[in-house]
Amino acid sequence: MSRPKGKHKGSIYWKNLSIVLLITCIPIALISVILYYIGTDRIGMEVNKAHQNQLSQSIQHMEDYLSNLEHTVVRLAFDRSMDESLKQMDFIMEFQKTNELMRSFTLMRESNSLIGGVSLYLRDANKLIGDEFGFQSVQSEDDRKLLRSLLEKERTIYWNYSLRKPGYSDTLYKAIVVKLPGGQMYDSYGAFILYLDQAKLNTMVQKLASGEGVAFLINENGDYLTTPHTNELSKEELTLEDAVRSRIAQEDLRDHTFKFDWQGQSYTVSYGKISKLGGKWTFVSATPMSQIIAPVTSLSRLILWISLFGLTVGLLLSWFASNKIYDPIYRLKSLFESSKPTRSDEKDEVTYIENQWNQQLVEQQTLAMQIKESIPTLRESFLLQFLQGNLYTHTESELIDKMKQLDWNAEDKRFAVMVAQLHGISELGGKYSERDSQLITFAASNIILELCSEKLNMVHVINFQDLSVGVFFVLNHSITNEEIKAVLNKLAHDYIAAVNNVLRMKVTIVTSKISDSLVDMPNVLEQTRKALRFRDLHTSNQMLDMNQFMIEPNSAKHFPSELEREIVHAVSLGLEEEAVRLIRLFIQELQGDNSTELMVHQGMMKLLGTLHDTIIKHDVNMYALYEGVHLYEQLMLLSEPDQIVDWFQYKLIHPFIKTLSMTYDGNLREVIDKLLVQIKEEILMDVSLEMYADQLQMSSSKLSKAFRQIHGTNFIDTIIRLRIEKCKELLCKTDMKINEIAELLHYQPSYLIRMFKKSEGLTPRQYREKHAQG
């Protein structure tokens, strides 16, 4: 199929494209400009303001900690309990007061996270009391000089930024010294020492920094109170903290925030001063400008990219919408041109499409007529698939819709089926052969179709190709059940009469129950076909109604077991004619009063199973003998007694007897029969298969195989059966104990009891008591 080489677009396409562009792109462009110029500035201001507020809150938080520390120190300096009585205090004897003092140290340290430790030095007692180590005497002369030097300061409360702890020489601490008692007019007898926790102080100050920025704390001398960052490249090269500290120390800045450039990057530096406990500290925080404006920059870029993306999407959508608007006209024109490769001269595409459309309507009407003519065939195929159960996945509504498409209105209808089975083909005296069954079934289906078409509109006939036909009825819901049954009964009578007159055959007809559900009909058809098995074999023509169909209660039915044994014996002896005669008698017994085809089939299946076991016991390869045929399936397909007898003779018995005759001769049968008589006479002796094989001058394996083929049982089972019979005789006619009987039969008592119970269902004692009572 050829397609146009190019897609020629007219003025309508370009007009549509312009309109769509105006509708989509202009609003997007205006919104993008407004967002970029107004939103970016506003967001930048808010971000910077939020950063400064956060920094102010952090500095205030730090100042609160220092204020708390100052209050703690002041309370400590003027605490009345810290008088000169501490010089005379015996810390060991006055344990309760010592414990309270230590507890106050601990509470003091826990009340403020900046306090790392608290110690009390008493000069005259030469004692040092702390929350970490308890109380101890100052041992080292260096430690005494260090502690006494603390009392020489004129100020009562002062900072010491490089104080060594007594007993430690490697670490310097920042500490607050509080002389006791307060005031300079009295000689101090001791001092409190509050050590700062350097790690907590570093952590608290570093919270002022964000991202790649720095924050640090310096005293009035410009010394670091926090641990500064070290330069990994060179210790001589200045760090950012050093550069900022130098700038603050050199210039007297009025503003507490200024811009600082360092190593090609701009920083916003904020600082504040705090005077606590006689010390003047300066908090400094330096944050990269790029970090502060990063949200604004990224957001402005995002707005720009969103705007560009929106314009791009607007252009693409405009192009796409224009093509979609124009596409139906182009597709219709291309469709007509591709279906008919004729060159069109019409410049007006609408006129061209209209002419082609009219032509398509004419062709469509012609095609609709052809489809209408083929609907009966399609309906036949659909109903066949449906009634065979192949459409089990369809729902009721789906099936009704499908039938509507096939010109059958099955909505609000009732449904029924009728099944007819023709039989008696073997009684026609050679007029028809088995190969004519399909032809007869075809004629029978034509007869019932003609009869149904005269009275009913929606009828479907099914040819099962096996002398049986089915009819599916779609009936009006307004007709009562009695009226429907009357119509179906009249139809069945007419059909029986027509088949009897035309085909000279008997008919069994089963009418189903009337159903309101279409989806149940495959199951109804299957159940109706199964009901054919319950036909009376003594009646020529029958009509069965599933509405009134009842299987008779299980009455005692005689099964010809004796005939079954005689048939098995005749087959085992190779007497084919005798076996066939007995099979005919067997079927006649099964066809007793009130016997149905199903009962006959069940009896014949039982006989087939018995013969099947007998053939297996003769070590015959069933698969090779019957060429892999499923015997039970073949028997199920037969319904006429003569057919069943012929099948048993030619399909089952004859091939076996032919194989059996090749296995052994008549002389061997006579030898085995005489041996069986001898075994019965010598059953009380210790006999064995090897003994008799030596006596007959043959191998034990050949004797065992011949014995099993002729009598249907092996040697050991025969010996056990005969000894069980002898045991039963001795139990009933003598008073011998079971141990004596077991010894006489060459068995262990326990083994004899087990074998006896397995054979008779009773123990020897129970058997004797039962027959003694009888």
Side-chain angles (χ1 to χ4, degrees), residues 39 80 128 224 228 233 281 356 387 398 437 455 458 460 463 466 482 512 577 598 600 603 614 665 689 697 711 733 767:
R80 295 181 179 180
L128 185 65
Y224 287 111
L233 298 177
W281 294 359
Q356 294 296 324
L387 293 174
E398 291 175 345
S437 60
K455 300 178 180 179
M458 290 184 283
H460 173 66
N463 185 348
D466 60 350
E482 291 74 13
S512 72
E577 293 183 359
L598 178 62
V600 173
T614 302
D665 53 21
L689 179 65
Q697 296 182 351
H711 290 287
K733 295 181 179 181
Y767 184 85

Side-chain angles (χ1 to χ4, degrees), residues 34 74 91-92 108 205 245 338 365 367 375 385 387 475 619 668 690 711 738:
I34 293 172
V74 171
F91 293 100
I92 295 177
M108 191 182 306
V205 174
R245 183 182 62 169
S338 61
Q365 292 175 357
L367 182 61
I375 281 180
Q385 293 291 323
L387 293 174
L475 307 166
D619 288 342
L668 185 59
E690 290 76 11
H711 290 287
I738 189 63

Side-chain angles (χ1 to χ4, degrees), residues 303-441:
I303 293 174
L304 182 60
W305 281 110
I306 290 175
S307 302
L308 294 176
F309 178 75
L311 289 174
T312 304
V313 171
L315 291 173
L316 291 175
L317 290 177
S318 301
W319 174 81
F320 179 76
S322 300
N323 277 280
K324 284 298 180 181
I325 294 173
Y326 184 75
D327 193 55
I329 298 175
Y330 175 76
R331 287 172 59 192
L332 283 174
K333 186 174 181 294
S334 301
L335 181 64
F336 289 126
E337 290 177 347
S338 61
S339 61
K340 292 184 179 181
T342 57
R343 188 173 59 87
S344 60
D345 297 331
E346 293 90 345
K347 295 182 180 180
D348 189 349
E349 295 175 349
V350 176
T351 303
Y352 172 78
I353 293 173
E354 183 180 0
N355 294 335
Q356 294 296 324
W357 186 261
N358 292 330
Q359 186 176 354
Q360 292 292 330
L361 287 177
V362 174
E363 295 177 357
Q364 182 181 1
Q365 292 175 357
T366 304
L367 182 61
M369 292 297 296
Q370 295 175 355
I371 294 176
K372 187 175 182 180
E373 293 173 357
S374 63
I375 281 180
T377 304
L378 297 174
R379 183 171 59 240
E380 293 288 323
S381 176
F382 168 76
L383 290 175
L384 181 62
Q385 293 291 323
F386 163 61
L387 293 174
Q388 287 180 346
N390 297 331
L391 305 181
Y392 60 90
T393 58
H394 287 55
T395 62
E396 182 89 9
S397 59
E398 291 175 345
L399 292 173
I400 292 175
D401 292 341
K402 185 64 177 178
M403 292 184 68
K404 281 183 179 180
Q405 297 175 7
L406 299 174
D407 283 352
W408 267 23
N409 184 12
E411 188 174 3
D412 197 19
K413 300 290 184 181
R414 311 183 78 182
F415 311 96
V417 295
M418 177 186 291
V419 179
Q421 176 71 56
L422 281 66
H423 46 86
I425 189 172
S426 59
E427 300 176 4
L428 296 179
K431 184 176 180 180
Y432 298 113
S433 64
E434 295 294 336
R435 291 176 293 181
D436 296 328
S437 60
Q438 292 186 357
L439 181 61
I440 296 173
T441 310

Side-chain angles (χ1 to χ4, degrees), residues 7-14 319 323 326:
K7 186 173 181 179
H8 303 288
K9 302 172 182 176
S11 59
I12 295 178
Y13 172 79
W14 299 110
W319 174 81
N323 277 280
Y326 184 75

Side-chain angles (χ1 to χ4, degrees), residues 416 418 451-457 459 473-476 479-495 509 511 514 543:
M418 177 186 291
L451 292 174
C452 293
S453 301
E454 295 176 357
K455 300 178 180 179
L456 300 170
N457 295 326
V459 177
F473 301 98
V474 180
L475 307 166
N476 292 329
I479 304 176
T480 63
N481 286 355
E482 291 74 13
E483 293 174 342
I484 293 175
K485 298 310 296 184
V487 172
L488 296 182
N489 289 337
K490 179 64 169 60
L491 178 62
H493 282 292
D494 294 344
Y495 182 66
I509 295 180
T511 55
I514 301 170
M543 290 177 54

